[in-house]
Each structure stands twice: as structure tokens, then as C-alpha cells.
Amino acid sequence: MPNDATALATRPTTTVSSWGLSRSGASVPVPVEWTSDPVRVPGGLSVLPHGLGRSYGDSCLNDGGALLLTRRLDRFLAFDPATGVVRAEAGVSLHHILRLVTPHGWFLPVTPGTKYVTLGGAIANDVHGKNHHVAGTFGRYVNAFELVRSDGSRRTCSPTENADLFGATIGGLGLTGLITWAELRLKKIESSRVYVESFRLQNLDDFFDRNAESLDWEYTVSWMDMHARGRSLGRGQFMRGRHADASAGALSDERWPDAKLVVPFRMPDWLVNPLTAQAFNWVYAHKQLAHFSASHQRFGPYFYPLDFVHRWNLAFGARGFFQYQCVLPPDRAREAGRAVMEAVAASRLGSIIAVVKMFGDLPSPGWLSFPRPGLTFALDFLNTGARTVALIRTLDRIVEEAGGALYPAKDAFMSAAAFQRAYPRWKELEAVRDPAFSSDFWRRVTGSPT
Amino acid sequence: MKLVVFGATSGLAQQVARLAASEGSALHLVARDPAKLSAVAADLKVRGASTVGTTVADLSDLATIKPAIDDAQRTLGGFDTVLVAQGVLTDEARASTDPGYLEQALRLNYVGCAFIAEESTRRMTGGGVVAVITSVAGDRGKASNPAYGASKAALAAHLSGLRQRLGPGPVTILDLRVGQADTPMTAQMKKGALFASAEVVGRGILDAIRARKDVAYVPGVWRPLMRVIREIPEPIFKRLKL
């Protein structure tokens, strides 16, 4: 059992933190290097696949158990530049996929806000991006993958073969087994630039109007000032974009360099505190944002602004931070959205940037997929202790009352009741979960002992 | 580059081969496990290698070496670079008590590598680089790995002799003194501050090949470190716990 002290005492463990640095677990590291490797389960322990560890809460942790480290499972199996189909081992990062495919005129069909996630991780969290309203989630573009389980079985899963495991594994948080390789359909592009239009938003109503007239744009996203109140509630910037045509910039321009700037150590708490964050936000909101601007942007700044700084999460101080992402159903979006923003503003807990978007209604093949129609907010809060937790609980109540959901990849607090209500198919996942696979998150939200 | 890689499924070999492949090089890979070899070959093809040939061979069986080199010559139409990367991190406790095991480890880590260097040199009439991964462990035997260190020390001495025999000329014999690298070979070892990532070491190896160095410490910090280690007088050295 995972908390068997004697089992752990005889094996070397590593303490692994998730990306928010507020949660960590001691686990036995089990490197996986070849797709032909069987799933090695150290006696008496549960296992969980672990890629680049970009999840924020505890969905990528297995305290007291073992982690199947997939970093060296990073080979390409095939890529067809004519059809844009790529097959790669589960530890290949989206960064390396982009490096390989963009010179040939292909892009990720769906990309999250960082390219430093593994292919396996992107599937396990069924990640989404700025184009959800027209493209849906990552899982929609997965043709097939191979799933290896602790009983030694190896299955190729697709919509037509082992379809149950296919649906359970997409968004399944690594609990159905180890993905060894996956095949992805890419999107055709003509240039290395994105054409972007930005609009100043006066308030939340402005956001809904602007969004409604931008539904045919490929990418839309906004940021909002979480300290604004009253009539300025929801002020910020709305950005819409589409891939530019070939004249805007040659595909060969983009080399995808590795991040050079590094946050070398955790910032001391006194440097990063609620006041500093508020000041930053105030300055950001009050600088003379043009009412409208348009430009061609390169992929890096447009899709991955935070990736420029390696280990940016260390800038949040010793106690780390919490990421919080919720979705509010369309019929409650305006009022619940307002309630969320007012709660955050009143708390003065310094969420620096709120990223806001309307999800579309394209269904995912994954059983436990987070994105569903409605308004999604992604926020982060410095971990200042009890007050942060109290705010998060307040937000949880707003979300619950509105019939919304929280994103497991970012979650550290969701109650079992809230999870089970928002993800009714969790029981089906539990039924096909590999009995040797478990995570801190799963134990927390399902109360299952392993 | 027309590169032959021995021990092609090792962590460092894969990194070097990837860099060579991304520049469109032609490669021939030699390793023991057919499934792993074919996974590495497929990866290198996707990454841009113009040709990827393979030979399955257990390099502790010295009779497999000449045929493997023949294969490489056939696939590539002659080669200009050889990377010798096979090896095993010896189980030192076993090496101390089991002379048969010690001999076998030496055969893989020294004899096979030295023979590949010799034979490659004979075939590379157009010139090029024979790059052999040795180790800083060979610079001075220490308590934690005398058998492994010995095999690498033997290899380094042999390469030095070969280099002098050839004299200045079209073929460079490159002794790659690799320091502690984070690869599957060292997976069970506790990683100290000096461990370098496989990617960093791979890049260092390729740079040394390009620069046609004779002896390269990878990463470079090991050169001054090992100079110090070598100078420690034996009455003091024997009291250290290394």
C-alpha cells in the first residue's frame, strides 16, 4: 500500500513537486526508456506516469508510491510531411514536435499555454488552448496510442479499437496505464506568424460582446484585471488571432530555441507579496492600452509567453502558488463570472493575471475532459496560507452553485463531492483504472485507498 | 558526416546520433537488442538522417566486430566518423570476486573498443575521426570502481599508442574522457552536482569530434579536476574515500 513505511524505507525516493510548488510527494523514481519495457511496479507500491511535471496541483504526484518517469521515452516513430501525421513516444515534448514539424508547414492542432509538456501528458489532461471554440481539445486529434498495463497487456487504442480505454485514457490523468506512443494529426500552416488583433475591454459585458463577434477567429483569449471593481469589473484586453499567410513570414524563420533566461532560485517571500502583485496589476491595467491594435506575432510570444523564462514558477516564492481554473456554464456565466471576479478583488490576494475565454461545444472523446461550453477563468494566487485557501473555497462555492467544473491539471483543493458531480463518468474510469496505478489527486477525489 | 555508432542504444550515443541526424548525416548503428535498435533507427530517420543502417551484434563477442564494420562500409559507401559508445558499468563487488565476470567486462569495455578503433583506422583511408568514449574514471583508479576505471585506463593508453603510431595524418584518434553523465547507465547512482545531462554531454562529444581533438574532457570542467586528482600523492590518495 502506498503509505507502507517499510517498503519505502528500503528504496531510494525522490521528492517531486508539481509546477505550483505548493504540493509535493516522495516517490520511488522508475525511469522508462523503451516502449518495449514492461510496467515495473516496485512491490507493494502504486505507480503513476510522470512526464515534464507541468501540472500544478497533485494530479502528477504519487506520494508514497512510484513515478514512471517518461523523459527518456522520447523518440519519434514516424512523421509524414505530406499528410501531417506524426507518431511519437509518449515522453516527446510538444516543443520537440513543433521543432520537427513547423519547417514542413504543420502546427499543433491544439496547444496549451506551454510547449513543455509531453505528448502523454497532453493526452492525459486532454489539454485545450485558445482555439477551443473552433477546434475542441487535444484528444480530438489523437488517432491512436498504445497503452501498456501492469498485467503486461499492450493494447493499441483508437476510436474503433479498444474504444473504452481510448475514451478513458484521454483526460484520464494517467490512471488507465502507461501510454508508450501516440499518433497525432497536425494542422497545416503557411507561415511562421500569427495575425493578431487586440481590443481594450472596458468591462465584462464588453468581453461578451467582443467574443460574440469573434467566433470565426481561430484563436481568442482575454486577460482581465482582477483588482478592478464596480463598473470596471472585467477590464482588460481581448485578443483574437489567426495563422497568417505565407507572405507574413517564412516557415524556416522559426527555430524554437530553448529558453535562455532562467529563474535561478525561489524568490524570497518578501519580494513577491500581495502588494507587489497588486502594484504590477495596477500598472498593467493603467498603461495606455490602445483601444485597438493589430500586428503579426511570432509563435513564441503569441502561444508561449511564459516559456521564455525557464522555471518561471520559482518567481513565486518559497510557498509557491496555486493555479485555479474553472468553467461556468453559459447561462450562469455573466453573473457567476462577476461573482468570481468580485470575490478575488475583495480578497486583495494578488492574482496577477486572469486569463479568460469562452469554450465552445465541440465534444471531446475523453470521459473526464474538463473543457465544456461556458466561461473559463484561469487565475493564480500566491500561497499565503489560510486566506488563500478561504478565497479558493469561496470560489469553489460559486462554481459549484453555478453547476461549473474545475480543471484537475491545476487543482489542489477540489472536494470529492465537487469532482464527482462535475465529472459523472469518474465511476467508469475507476472501473477500468489499472489497479496498480494511482495518484494523490485520484485518492483525494475518490477516496480510493490505493 | 558518415557516422558509424557502436553501442547505438546507449544514452550518450543516442544524443550524438540525434545531432548528427538533424544535419542530414548518414548513419550506421550497431547494438545488441533488435527492438531497441530499430526504435533508435526510426527516430533518427524522422529527425533527418539521410540513411540509417543497422547491425545487430553483441559486442562482447569480438568475432562480431569485423562483420559489423563491413556492414557499415557497405551501407554508407565508406565512413568518416566512428563513435565507440558501448560499455557496461561494472558490478564492482562481483568483479572483485568473480574473475570470469571481470574478464568479460574488460572484453566489452576495453578489448572490443580498442579493436574497433584499430580496425576502423585501417578502413578510413580517406581520413576522419575515431571517437572513443572512455571516462574520467580511467585517469586514476579509485575505490568505488577499480575494474571499470581499469578498463577505461587501458582503453585510453591504447588510444594514445594508436595515435602516436599513426602520427599526424588524416585520421584523428579522439579519447572522450566523459565525466558523470545522467544517462540510463547511471540511473541507480545518486546524482551529485557534477552530473551533466545526456544532452549536454552529447553536444560536447560532437563539438570535440568537429574540432578534431585528441583528448577531450566532456564537460570541460573535468580536465582541471582530474589534473588535481592525478597529482595527489599516493600516501594521501589512499586515505581518501572516492
Side-chain angles (χ1 to χ4, degrees):
Chain A
M1 290 293 108
N3 291 313
D4 183 335
T6 38
L8 280 182
T10 55
R11 290 188 195 86
T13 63
T14 309
T15 298
V16 174
S17 296
S18 55
W19 198 243
L21 301 170
S22 61
R23 292 285 181 269
S24 62
S27 309
V28 175
V30 179
V32 180
E33 210 208 334
W34 302 96
T35 57
S36 47
D37 286 350
V39 170
R40 279 171 34 226
V41 181
L45 302 185
S46 63
V47 299
L48 181 71
H50 186 93
L52 286 163
R54 253 54 176 190
S55 292
Y56 290 86
D58 56 358
S59 56
C60 62
L61 301 177
N62 191 19
D63 186 38
L67 291 176
L68 302 175
L69 304 177
T70 60
R71 208 164 58 90
R72 289 286 167 223
L73 199 66
D74 65 348
R75 292 169 205 90
F76 287 100
L77 282 77
F79 168 52
D80 186 345
T83 59
V85 175
V86 64
R87 191 180 271 218
E89 291 178 356
V92 171
S93 68
L94 299 189
H95 179 205
H96 288 129
I97 292 177
L98 286 166
R99 206 179 249 176
L100 178 73
V101 308
T102 56
H104 298 278
W106 298 97
F107 200 75
L108 293 169
V110 168
T111 180
T114 173
K115 52 194 189 310
Y116 299 120
V117 300
T118 58
L119 182 54
I123 294 171
N125 292 282
D126 197 20
V127 295
H128 61 272
K130 298 194 253 226
N131 62 353
H132 184 271
H133 60 292
V134 298
T137 60
F138 196 85
R140 288 172 63 90
Y141 302 89
V142 175
N143 284 345
F145 52 80
E146 182 183 71
L147 190 71
V148 173
R149 289 165 66 101
S150 59
D151 61 3
S153 63
R154 251 163 216 286
R155 291 179 181 80
T156 301
C157 303
S158 73
T160 51
E161 198 184 346
N162 294 304
D164 264 15
L165 281 171
F166 185 75
T169 304
I170 293 173
L173 304 170
L175 296 165
T176 55
L178 175 70
I179 300 172
T180 51
W181 58 257
E183 186 176 280
L184 188 65
R185 289 190 309 283
L186 300 166
K187 179 174 60 189
K188 194 92 195 70
I189 53 169
E190 306 297 331
S191 84
S192 57
R193 301 291 195 276
V194 182
Y195 172 67
V196 185
E197 291 183 352
S198 302
F199 299 84
R200 184 170 188 157
L201 291 174
Q202 307 285 23
N203 52 40
L204 187 61
D205 288 333
D206 219 5
F207 164 81
F208 285 106
D209 294 341
R210 194 60 71 187
N211 190 71
E213 67 187 40
S214 307
L215 293 176
D216 59 337
W217 284 71
E218 169 95 37
Y219 299 107
T220 64
V221 74
S222 304
W223 66 261
M224 288 183 188
D225 175 0
M226 296 309 277
H227 296 279
R229 310 186 72 167
R231 284 183 326 156
S232 300
L233 192 81
R235 76 173 164 206
Q237 199 173 25
F238 181 94
M239 289 155 291
R240 59 193 190 190
R242 56 168 66 107
H243 287 281
D245 64 38
S247 60
L251 288 164
S252 53
D253 270 6
E254 187 55 75
R255 290 290 154 82
W256 301 104
D258 292 318
K260 293 269 192 306
L261 290 176
V262 179
V263 177
F265 48 79
R266 291 193 200 219
M267 293 289 137
D269 283 346
W270 59 264
L271 193 58
V272 189
N273 66 39
L275 285 179
T276 317
Q278 267 196 42
F280 173 89
N281 228 2
W282 188 92
V283 168
Y284 206 112
H286 286 82
K287 78 176 202 220
Q288 292 301 309
L289 288 175
H291 180 72
F292 168 81
S293 70
S295 61
H296 282 105
Q297 293 184 22
R298 304 184 67 117
F299 295 143
Y302 183 66
F303 290 108
Y304 310 112
L306 282 174
D307 282 354
F308 272 103
V309 184
H310 189 53
R311 300 311 314 264
W312 59 265
N313 54 341
L314 293 177
F316 278 82
R319 285 175 293 180
F321 63 98
F322 297 117
Q323 253 265 337
Y324 187 88
Q325 184 166 2
C326 61
V327 59
L328 305 165
D331 56 332
R332 306 293 306 275
R334 228 174 269 251
E335 77 188 74
R338 208 179 295 277
V340 163
M341 283 190 281
E342 289 193 348
V344 175
S347 77
R348 298 161 62 78
L349 276 175
S351 175
I352 294 182
I353 287 277
V355 179
V356 182
K357 186 188 164 47
M358 283 299 283
F359 282 148
D361 54 17
L362 287 172
S364 165
W367 295 353
L368 255 60
S369 186
F370 159 70
R372 57 202 70 186
L375 182 66
T376 185
F377 284 89
L379 310 159
D380 39 47
F381 305 109
L382 290 167
N383 179 9
T384 59
R387 284 202 313 130
T388 314
V389 175
L391 170 63
I392 289 177
R393 296 264 182 250
T394 302
L395 299 179
D396 284 353
R397 276 195 301 277
I398 298 171
V399 173
E400 173 109 32
E401 198 272 324
L406 297 171
Y407 189 15
K410 305 203 170 174
D411 177 69
F413 288 107
M414 199 185 326
S415 71
F419 171 75
Q420 294 177 18
R421 184 193 46 76
Y423 296 90
R425 300 190 76 174
W426 75 273
K427 283 212 179 102
E428 294 173 62
L429 175 59
E430 175 62 18
V432 299
R433 175 173 68 90
D434 186 314
F437 282 61
S438 181
S439 65
D440 284 9
F441 176 82
W442 196 250
R443 290 189 287 277
R444 176 163 63 80
V445 299
T446 63
S448 70
T450 317
Chain B
M1 202 182 272
K2 291 182 172 187
L3 170 65
V4 188
V5 185
F6 289 87
T9 53
S10 82
L12 294 182
Q14 288 181 70
Q15 294 303 324
V16 179
R18 281 182 184 180
L19 292 169
S22 66
E23 294 162 0
S25 302
L27 295 112
H28 191 87
L29 314 173
V30 184
R32 184 178 37 163
D33 181 313
K36 294 178 183 178
L37 187 53
S38 121
V40 173
D43 179 54
L44 297 174
K45 272 258 191 40
V46 172
R47 287 174 194 264
S50 57
T51 302
V52 183
T54 58
T55 299
V56 176
D58 180 345
L59 294 167
S60 58
D61 174 0
L62 305 174
T64 62
I65 289 173
K66 264 208 182 138
I69 299 182
D70 291 337
D71 283 352
Q73 215 155 17
R74 239 188 331 270
T75 312
L76 303 177
F79 48 86
D80 53 44
T81 315
V82 175
L83 177 67
V84 183
Q86 76 266 28
V88 63
L89 197 60
T90 38
D91 173 348
E92 295 291 332
R94 192 172 167 203
S96 166
T97 54
D98 178 352
Y101 173 75
L102 179 59
E103 189 179 39
Q104 190 191 347
L106 210 63
R107 199 180 319 127
L108 179 66
N109 284 353
Y110 161 55
V111 182
C113 298
F115 182 60
I116 291 169
E118 294 269 4
E119 189 63 27
S120 301
T121 316
R122 280 187 280 278
R123 313 280 184 114
M124 287 162 77
T125 47
V129 178
V130 177
V132 182
I133 296 180
T134 63
S135 169
V136 298
D139 278 38
R140 190 163 189 177
K142 57 193 201 319
S144 56
N145 55 6
Y148 182 76
S151 65
K152 295 301 192 178
L155 191 49
H158 196 129
L159 296 174
S160 171
L162 179 57
R163 190 181 300 117
Q164 195 184 67
R165 191 196 321 141
L166 291 173
V171 177
T172 300
I173 303 294
L174 170 54
D175 176 351
L176 292 161
R177 305 262 171 104
V178 176
Q180 293 170 324
D182 182 9
T183 66
M185 183 188 260
T186 57
Q188 297 308 316
M189 290 172 67
K190 197 155 176 296
K191 300 290 182 319
L194 281 172
F195 268 84
S197 75
E199 287 85 353
V200 163
V201 177
R203 173 145 295 287
I205 288 174
L206 199 63
D207 289 346
I209 289 174
R210 291 244 168 73
R212 302 192 76 133
K213 297 220 160 109
D214 296 322
V215 178
Y217 283 84
V218 187
V221 68
W222 287 96
R223 187 179 291 265
L225 280 179
M226 294 320 293
R227 182 172 300 139
V228 169
I229 296 281
R230 282 196 303 271
E231 293 307 316
I232 299 173
E234 193 64 23
I236 296 174
F237 189 80
K238 68 183 183 187
R239 288 183 163 78
L240 300 177
K241 294 267 174 287
L242 290 181

